[in-house]
Amino acid sequence: MFKKLLFLITLSISHVSLSADFFWIGSTGDWSDTLHWSATSGGVSVGNFLPTSADNVIFDNNSGLTGVGSIVTMDSAVVVNNFDYSAVPGAFTFASVLASIEIQGSFASNGLANYTWLGDFNFNSTTVGN
């Protein structure tokens, strides 16, 4: 009995997914370039990791995005939990070769970003907000 219980507990723990915050750093670049992702605002690269569907993506005043000439190119599949660029102080550009970008949770914008692509933002949140 104890072995079965221990097995079930272990199995349930192995399916727990922890989300992480990924901060964009270094101004212009490709989404797939791991050098543009940090675990902290204005920090250093996290290494060989890209945001996943469980992670939160954050662009802020330490992202190095200084105008419409600062371009974030979404060149690989983009499926994230939360997507937030509300703290970027000015305009910048999102470019993409993707047909769509999928956001599982919330989306927050500064209202100033330019989009140079005709793809879709697909919102797949299961939470209803106010």
Side-chain angles (χ1 to χ4, degrees):
M1 175 72 173
F2 178 73
K3 286 183 180 181
K4 286 182 182 179
L5 181 60
L6 184 61
F7 173 75
L8 289 174
I9 291 170
T10 304
L11 184 62
S12 66
I13 291 172
S14 68
H15 283 83
V16 173
S17 176
L18 300 176
S19 67
D21 290 340
F22 279 76
F23 290 83
W24 182 264
I25 56 172
S27 189
T28 294
D30 293 334
W31 186 276
S32 65
D33 183 350
T34 59
L35 295 177
H36 282 287
W37 296 108
S38 175
T40 59
S41 175
V44 297
S45 171
V46 294
N48 255 352
F49 299 98
L50 293 173
T52 69
S53 62
D55 299 320
N56 306 312
V57 169
I58 303 162
F59 295 78
D60 63 13
N61 60 323
N62 291 317
S63 294
L65 303 169
T66 59
V68 294
S70 296
I71 301 171
V72 176
T73 303
M74 298 174 174
D75 64 334
S76 62
V78 176
V79 181
V80 298
N81 185 32
N82 298 315
F83 195 106
D84 184 352
Y85 63 88
S86 62
V88 176
F92 67 100
T93 300
F94 281 116
S96 183
V97 296
L98 304 173
S100 67
I101 296 164
E102 187 173 326
I103 300 169
Q104 304 289 332
S106 66
F107 176 78
S109 162
N110 69 358
L112 301 172
N114 293 298
Y115 298 92
T116 60
W117 61 291
L118 300 175
D120 295 322
F121 275 92
N122 293 322
F123 297 96
N124 296 319
S125 178
T126 57
T127 304
V128 176
N130 298 344

